[in-house]
């Protein structure tokens, strides 16, 4: 039986003071989606359980790692390798039996988490660590019209921002820095920095040896098309194809010297091949061929190279680009800027050298590590693991990348890195501590209560910063960016059977027979435009537009705003002989642009090859938003979403007022921001 | 010590060779990247006493136990009430009710990290002060949350008696308002993690750098090579040439600076030479004099920096290092510069040129460090560890020395309080409201807290006749609403803020708050008064 104090007393005082007694009583019915059960997620889950939110859905893809335990306090050592969502839910639920926690061990991008699923929540709280998932949740929340609190931390820095469609900036209103990328030839044949060798080991070599048996020549095709050195490309292509025998050996139990075979291929014969191209090394210093046996018996000596021109900064992306992993710095704008300008990674260099993985490795050490990690990975393949990809917390892969990149660095006369440094560089590791997560989580709950209460004047972007005089700084919220391609669109839901619904009829239905000329996209893929109707008879499924995806309908004349149509599933009782889709009612009504649009630019896809619609590669990739100039005027007035907290408020006299049961924050939801409410960043 | 065993690495054949870290390093990986092994070692040798087992206290402790402080003790004689059980995550709900708060909280906090030692002490703090003050001074840091003001004053007085006694963190909270302050005698920070980079000394190039810059023949250089000369070298050279035609002076006026930049642009042989763009953007370094920053020059005047050589071992090595630094800046050629930093920022160049420049800087930095060490030996720092010297020299441009004062309930005397109220009414009102609450409750624990009572109490702390601002009414009103509420979310947030500062104090890294940090969580701001 639940003890009596659970339903009264201090536990609920907090939310009550912000929401007022009446709305607070409904907190038990509030449905919260918490995305992420990591550092912020654990803290936040504890806080919202204590605050009294009644229904919490907790979703996380990850399992628990030892390195989580310095801050993710709902986990113990015995929980390592268990699902974060499951364990966190179990631990936190024990504290308050009145709260229903529904844990999901899964990826937020899975199709079943579609727009209707998002709409089943009153509020969404992000506790994520990667840009991709953040952008996805942002888009879903904007489309669903559900308030979102976004957050991020990096070491001592952190940020919280409340996001609400049509009222505040969304996460994508301000462009985010894209992951650093390098020219493919820099990675494959002419590295000049440690990071080039790390990317090569992690994103190329590891995959070639232990990943899926895929043709690694695709990006070489692109590079060649873009006019990279043809001879160099040809050599790289030959090199890629010759991986087969090594892959075979690694997968054959008892095959002798598979590690040596791998070594000989990449550090000996591949380098020899590259050296045979005299032209390449006229203006840069040639790499050194490594000799397995000579390194082993200590007779090998590296001739220090006199390197020729290359690029120390190394980030001027050229044609044919190899991407360095999608995960970017956690946190948003300001945090990222601070971080980028601040070499936190170096903090540990001098004084931490006593740690074991901060020891410098000799060439022989690297070779030993290469052999042992290759053997460990090969044993895993032979034991049934199908593919192995890089994971910074998987010691075998980290050891492999450490060894391979240092060997490559040695061959190219590039400075070596310790395993500690390589882990940070390859894993995009961001320092994380309990204190920052605690502060951020507390702020998230406050923002969430203000959002539920629709007391918009209290919403703030809050930053934790280094300044000893102002540990927290807050700024008032900016309005949506009129040119944002995510939150300025008009969203709608189409329930359909993608296997039967055809693109043409669906788009025609959505436009309500207005006959407007439009282009239709899925993400960046163009599916149709006024001069291109090949796909109109194709089913959505064959176009790879299934549940959870969006059709983006852009007005050809630029006269109307863009429509985003989320694809949802038909209700189970939908008659089999009825049309395979249900149009939204009312139909989406995009805002009409007030000013006459600039002349429509010709479709960017014109004149380029268009192959069969089923071939993903043949579909043009363009930025649907970039295509049309949008005007700043937005005639749409936000209608209050129907939620229980939107109840009309009594006498908004002062912002605070004493009431019988406690202080209630009082304000009209249309209150203007007063100057005194705004705290400038110092 | 289960965490320090390296069972995993011991099972691999190459145990001694493989660089895999032990489980402890793995557990603390994400924080080691922030404060390094030196910070971690400081944490692990810290012993923290927390007085009261409130929700705020356990939230602070949670954030110290997770990163692995050495030891904590909770001193609290109270038993768990139903209200405690409802808002303190580190109690076990109903089953904890009636048991000692300290014992229950310690048990649950220890579960977070088996590398941390935790103890419960159920004595009454006043009795400990009377009979066993040495117990309190035996810790490295003491934290008190919402204690009786008179008791806080007694602890503060005790810990102020000797320089070696622990720092004292005083936390007060009421509903959505809170403040905390740290009493310390003196706090020195070498690794301040400053965002300002040390000078590259382009305006005062060392001989090898100047020689290198002068040796380059920009006009007849291979065009590829031309586009790979680091901007540092370009600037040194252009400045040197400029000085020759300007009586040895760097550009001063706006016109001169513009002309200087034009000279750089004119040197380009191709439009897209980014190294020259960088040089133009960084040209200000030529007329920004490399000198001893004024904050560091002020430290040189500290009396302890003069007595370092003669004083006993009780003086921290900081002052011997500081004295040596002062000697260096006086006697070094050129004078009035700090030892050169070996760290070169990333810049447009090819590997060869960059590495060459890096070598020049490293070599020079080593030479200057050697000189610094000579002065250090003379200032009584002969035995100081090399790693500490390295760190000191590396951070010489951003050293911090904070001097504290004894804790008082309000941050200043009546007169200055009146002034600061006028200047900063929002922060000071909240500070004063919390002080008035303490003062009121110290007189009579179960007194009824009303806005009027708080206002009357505040009047005794302020110059007579001072009219209280509107912000006062808001702050006092908020406190009167629920004077003793220790709200879970507020406790969590405050626990983060306080622990953050405690970690800065213990690790002596980053710069802690000096003064009273005031927090208003309705409006979500923080400010520092005093
Ligand atoms: Zn937006």
């Amino acid at each position: 039986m639940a003890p009596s104090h659970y339903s009264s007393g201090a536990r609920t005082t907090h939310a009550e003071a912000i929401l007022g007694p009446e709305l607070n009583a409904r907190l038990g019915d509030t449905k919260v989606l918490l995305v992420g059960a990591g550092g912020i997620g654990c803290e936040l889950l504890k806080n919202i359980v204590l605050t009294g939110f009644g229904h919490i859905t907790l979703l996380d893809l990850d399992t628990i790692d030892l390195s989580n335990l310095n801050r993710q306090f709902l986990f113990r050592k015995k929980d390592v390798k268990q699902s974060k969502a499951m364990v966190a839910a179990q631990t936190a639920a024990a504290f308050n039996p009145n709260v229903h926690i529904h844990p999901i061990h899964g990826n937020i991008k899975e199709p079943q988490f579609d727009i209707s699923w998002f709409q089943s929540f009153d509020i969404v709280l992000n506790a994520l660590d990667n840009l991709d998932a953040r952008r996805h949740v942002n888009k879903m929340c904007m489309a669903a019209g559900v308030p979102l609190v976004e957050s991020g931390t990096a070491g001592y820095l952190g940020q919280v921002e409340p996001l609400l469609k049509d009222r505040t900036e969304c996460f994508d209103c301000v462009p985010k820095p894209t992951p650093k990328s390098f020219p493919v030839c820099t990675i494959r044949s002419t590295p000049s920095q440690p990071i080039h060798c790390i990317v090569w080991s992690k994103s190329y070599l590891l995959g070639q040896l232990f990943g899926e048996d895929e043709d690694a020549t695709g990006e070489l095709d692109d590079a060649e098309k873009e006019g990279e050195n043809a001879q160099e490309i040809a050599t790289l292509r030959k090199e890629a194809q010759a991986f087969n025998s090594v892959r075979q050996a690694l997968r054959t139990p008892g095959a002798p010297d598979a590690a040596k075979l791998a070594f000989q291929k990449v550090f000996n014969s591949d380098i020899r091949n590259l050296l045979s191209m005299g032209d390449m090394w006229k203006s840069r210093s040639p790499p050194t061929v490594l000799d397995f046996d000579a390194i082993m018996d200590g007779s090998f000596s590296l001739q220090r190279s006199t390197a020729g021109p290359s690029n120390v900064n190394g980030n001027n992306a050229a044609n044919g680009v190899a991407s360095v992993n999608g995960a970017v710095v956690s946190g948003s704008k300001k945090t990222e800027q601070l971080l980028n300008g601040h070499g936190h990674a170096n903090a540990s260099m001098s004084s931490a050298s006593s740690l074991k993985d901060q020891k410098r490795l000799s060439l022989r050490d690297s070779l030993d590590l290469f052999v042992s990690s290759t053997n460990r990975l090969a044993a895993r393949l032979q034991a049934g693991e199908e593919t192995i990809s890089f994971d910074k917390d998987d010691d075998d892969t980290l050891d492999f990348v450490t060894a391979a990149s240092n060997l490559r660095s040695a061959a190219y006369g590039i400075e070596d890195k310790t395993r500690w440094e390589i882990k940070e560089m390859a894993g995009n590791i961001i320092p994380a501590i309990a204190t920052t997560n605690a502060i951020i989580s507390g702020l998230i709950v406050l923002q969430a209560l203000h959002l539920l209460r629709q007391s918009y004047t209290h919403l703030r972007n809050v930053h934790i910063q280094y300044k000893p005089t102002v540990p927290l700084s807050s700024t008032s919220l900016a309005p949506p960016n009129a040119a944002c391609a995510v939150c300025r669109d008009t969203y709608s839901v189409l329930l359909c059977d993608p296997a039967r619904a055809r693109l043409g009829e669906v788009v025609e239905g959505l436009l309500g027979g207005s006959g407007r000329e439009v282009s239709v996209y899925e993400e960046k893929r163009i599916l149709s435009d006024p001069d291109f109707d090949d796909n109109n008879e194709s089913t959505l499924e064959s176009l790879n537009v299934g549940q959870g995806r969006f059709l983006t309908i852009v007005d050809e004349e630029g006269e109307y705003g863009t429509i985003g149509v989320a694809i949802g599933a038909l209700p189970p009782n939908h008659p089999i002989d009825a049309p395979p889709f249900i149009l939204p009612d009312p139909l989406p009504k995009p805002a009409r642009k007030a000013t006459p649009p600039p002349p429509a630019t010709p479709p960017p896809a014109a004149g380029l090859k268009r192959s069969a619609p089923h071939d993903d590669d043949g579909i043009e990739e363009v930025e649907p938003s970039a295509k049309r100039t949008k005007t700043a005027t937005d005639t749409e007035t936000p209608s209050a979403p129907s939620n229980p907290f939107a109840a009309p408020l009594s006498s908004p006299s002062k912002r605070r007022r004493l009431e019988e049961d406690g202080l209630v924050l009082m304000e009209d939801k249309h209150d203007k921001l007063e100057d005194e409410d705004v705290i400038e960043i110092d | 010590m289960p965490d320090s065993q390296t069972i995993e690495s011991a099972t691999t054949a190459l145990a001694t060779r493989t660089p895999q870290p032990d489980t402890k390093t793995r557990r603390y990986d994400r924080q080691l990247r922030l404060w390094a092994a030196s910070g971690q070692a400081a944490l692990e040798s810290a012993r923290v006493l927390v007085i009261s087992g409130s929700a705020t206290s356990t939230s602070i402790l949670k954030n110290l136990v997770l990163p692995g402080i050495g030891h904590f003790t909770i001193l609290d004689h109270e038993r768990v009430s139903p209200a405690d059980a409802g808002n303190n995550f580190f109690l076990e709900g109903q089953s904890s009710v009636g048991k000692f708060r300290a014992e229950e909280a310690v048990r649950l906090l220890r579960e977070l990290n088996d590398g941390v030692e935790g103890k419960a002490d159920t004595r009454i703090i006043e009795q400990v002060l009377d009979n066993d003050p040495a117990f309190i001074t035996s810790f490295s840091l003491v934290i008190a949350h919402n204690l009786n003001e008179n008791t806080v004053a007694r602890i503060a007085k005790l810990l102020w008696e000797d320089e070696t006694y622990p720092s004292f963190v005083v936390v007060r909270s009421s509903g959505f308002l809170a403040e905390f302050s740290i009493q310390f005698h003196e706090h020195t920070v070498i690794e301040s993690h400053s965002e300002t980079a040390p000078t590259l000394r382009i305006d005062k190039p060392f001989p090898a750098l100047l020689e290198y810059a002068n040796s380059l023949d920009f006009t007849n250089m291979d065009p590829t090579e031309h586009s790979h000369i680091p901007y540092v070298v370009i600037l040194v050279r252009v400045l040197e040439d400029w000085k020759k035609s300007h009586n040895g002076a760097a550009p001063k006026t706006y016109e001169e600076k513009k002309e200087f930049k034009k000279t750089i642009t004119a040197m380009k042989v191709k439009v897209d030479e980014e190294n020259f763009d960088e040089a133009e953007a960084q040209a200000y370094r030529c007329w920004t004099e490399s000198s001893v920053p004024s904050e560091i020059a002020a430290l040189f005047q500290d009396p302890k920096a003069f007595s370092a050589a003669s004083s006993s071992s009780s003086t921290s090595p900081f002052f011997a290092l500081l004295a040596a630094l002062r000697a260096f800046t006086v006697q070094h050629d050129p004078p009035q510069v700090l030892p050169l930093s070996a760290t070169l920022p990333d810049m447009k160049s090819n590997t060869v040129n960059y590495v060459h420049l890096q070598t020049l800087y490293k070599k020079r930095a080593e030479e200057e460090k050697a000189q610094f060490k000579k002065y250090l030996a003379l200032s009584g720092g002969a035995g100081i560890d090399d790693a500490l010297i390295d760190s000191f020299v590396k951070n010489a441009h951003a050293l911090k020395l904070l001097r504290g004062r004894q804790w008082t309930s309000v941050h200043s005397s009546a007169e200055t309080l009146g002034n600061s109220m006028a200047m900063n009414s929002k922060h000071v009102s909240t500070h004063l409201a919390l002080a008035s609450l303490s003062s009121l409750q110290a007189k009579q624990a179960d007194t009824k807290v009303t806005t009027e009572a708080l206002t009357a109490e505040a009047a005794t702390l302020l110059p007579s006749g001072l009219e209280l601002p509107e912000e006062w009414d808001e702050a006092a009103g908020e406190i009167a609403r629920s004077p003793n509420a220790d709200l879970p979310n507020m406790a969590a947030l405050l626990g983060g803020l306080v622990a953050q500062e405690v970690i800065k104090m213990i690790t002596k890294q980053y710069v802690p708050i000096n003064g009273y940090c005031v927090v208003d969580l309705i409006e979500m701001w923080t400010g520092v008064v005093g």
Side-chain angles (χ1 to χ4, degrees), chain A residues 170 173 484 487:
Chain A
C170 81
C173 273
C484 179
C487 70

Side-chain angles (χ1 to χ4, degrees), chain A residues 33-220:
Chain A
L33 170 62
L34 171 50
V35 194
I40 296 177
C42 279
E43 284 281 345
L44 193 49
L45 180 63
K46 175 202 67 175
N47 290 358
I48 60 179
V49 164
L50 287 170
T51 303
F53 288 90
H55 299 269
I56 301 164
T57 298
L58 174 67
L59 183 142
D60 199 302
L61 177 67
D62 269 348
T63 53
I64 298 159
D65 181 78
L66 189 56
S67 67
N68 299 145
L69 301 188
N70 80 326
R71 60 197 185 285
Q72 300 175 14
F73 69 96
L74 298 176
F75 311 139
R76 305 286 178 269
K77 245 179 4 196
K78 67 174 168 53
D79 302 323
V80 167
K81 302 231 190 300
Q82 306 288 309
S83 151
K84 284 188 175 179
M86 302 295 175
V87 177
Q90 237 165 47
T91 315
F95 192 76
N96 188 347
N98 297 335
V99 172
H100 307 278
I101 307 178
H102 173 46
I104 301 173
H105 180 74
N107 186 338
I108 191 65
K109 293 184 82 173
E110 283 166 27
Q112 73 266 31
F113 306 129
D114 62 5
I115 195 161
S116 351
W117 186 77
F118 271 86
Q119 277 168 337
S120 70
F121 299 101
D122 296 304
I123 192 160
V124 178
L125 308 178
N126 261 358
L128 285 162
D129 63 357
N130 73 85
L131 189 62
D132 188 50
R134 281 194 169 97
R135 296 184 63 174
H136 177 78
V137 175
N138 174 64
K139 180 171 184 175
M140 296 307 283
C141 287
M142 291 303 132
V146 177
L148 167 67
V149 186
E150 167 57 42
S151 62
T153 72
Y156 278 124
L157 306 174
Q159 187 188 21
V160 173
E161 41 178 5
L163 308 172
L164 183 61
K165 188 171 188 310
D166 298 330
R167 192 166 279 277
T168 72
E169 267 181 355
C170 81
F171 185 71
D172 264 330
C173 273
V174 177
K176 299 292 177 289
T178 45
K180 218 176 190 182
S181 56
F182 301 101
V184 67
C185 289
T186 302
I187 299 302
R188 298 278 194 92
S189 56
T190 54
S192 59
Q193 284 182 57
I195 186 66
H196 300 152
C197 300
I198 294 169
V199 169
W200 174 83
S201 308
K202 168 188 138 179
S203 307
Y204 173 68
L205 184 60
L206 186 73
Q208 287 300 301
L209 297 178
F210 304 104
E212 257 171 66
D213 185 12
E214 62 188 19
D215 176 16
T217 56
E219 59 183 358
L220 294 175

Side-chain angles (χ1 to χ4, degrees), chain B residues 7 46 63 81 119 182 229-230 255 285 402 426 503 523:
Chain B
I7 297 149
N63 298 326
S81 71
K119 275 192 181 151
I182 312 171
I229 302 297
E255 288 305 321
R285 293 174 185 271
L402 306 179
K426 197 159 69 173
I503 290 171
E523 298 190 0

Side-chain angles (χ1 to χ4, degrees), chain B residues 270-329:
Chain B
K270 282 182 293 185
V271 279
D272 60 350
E273 289 187 304
E274 295 174 55
N275 54 332
F276 282 87
D277 295 340
E278 273 186 358
E280 200 196 320
Q282 301 287 330
Y284 71 92
R285 293 174 185 271
C286 294
W287 47 81
T288 312
E289 198 195 346
S290 299
S291 62
V292 178
S294 57
E295 301 83 17
I296 305 300
L299 295 189
F300 291 159
Q301 303 310 314
D302 196 274
K304 278 197 174 175
F306 287 97
S307 60
S310 54
S311 73
S312 65
S313 57
S314 69
T315 312
S316 85
F318 184 86
F319 292 98
L321 289 159
L322 195 60
L325 190 64
R326 184 182 51 214
F328 180 94
T329 62

Side-chain angles (χ1 to χ4, degrees), chain B residues 305-496:
Chain B
F306 287 97
S307 60
S310 54
S311 73
S312 65
S313 57
S314 69
T315 312
S316 85
F318 184 86
F319 292 98
L321 289 159
L322 195 60
L325 190 64
R326 184 182 51 214
F328 180 94
T329 62
V330 173
Q331 295 172 43
H332 181 260
D333 179 36
Q336 294 310 312
V337 291
L338 299 171
L340 186 70
S341 162
T343 334
L344 212 54
D346 206 9
M347 62 191 73
K348 218 71 199 172
S349 169
N350 59 17
T351 317
V352 175
N353 289 339
Y354 186 80
V355 170
H356 180 62
L357 188 63
Q358 209 172 30
T359 314
L360 291 180
Y361 268 85
K362 269 189 186 148
K363 188 157 172 280
R364 178 66 182 189
E366 281 304 319
E367 288 165 10
E368 296 196 1
K369 192 162 75 189
Q371 280 180 320
F372 173 83
K373 282 186 182 176
K374 277 188 199 153
Y375 299 122
L376 185 60
L378 295 173
S379 67
I384 295 175
D385 177 54
D386 255 8
L388 184 62
I389 298 174
D390 284 354
S391 170
F392 185 86
V393 169
K394 200 172 134 195
N395 292 290
H397 67 292
L399 303 168
K400 294 280 174 202
L401 167 60
L402 306 179
R403 286 263 153 71
R405 44 193 194 83
Q406 189 177 341
W407 178 87
T408 47
S409 181
V410 277
H411 79 278
S412 70
S413 64
E415 308 82 74
T416 48
L417 193 63
N419 282 337
S420 63
M421 180 68 98
M423 306 255 303
N424 189 1
S425 55
K426 197 159 69 173
H427 299 167
V428 177
S429 288
T430 305
H431 169 59
L432 185 64
L434 287 161
S436 302
L437 174 67
S438 300
S439 171
L440 203 61
Q441 291 185 328
K443 286 175 189 160
Q444 198 190 335
D446 55 355
T447 186
K448 173 126 179 73
V449 178
T450 61
T451 312
E452 294 69 35
L454 288 167
T455 308
E457 198 61 38
T460 67
L461 302 166
L462 289 166
S464 55
L466 185 93
E467 199 170 319
L468 288 162
E470 187 188 346
E471 285 86 351
W472 165 264
D473 299 331
E474 294 192 359
E478 165 63 12
I479 285 178
R481 184 179 64 80
S482 56
N484 301 312
D486 197 7
L487 310 170
N489 192 58
M490 177 77 191
L493 207 157
L494 192 56

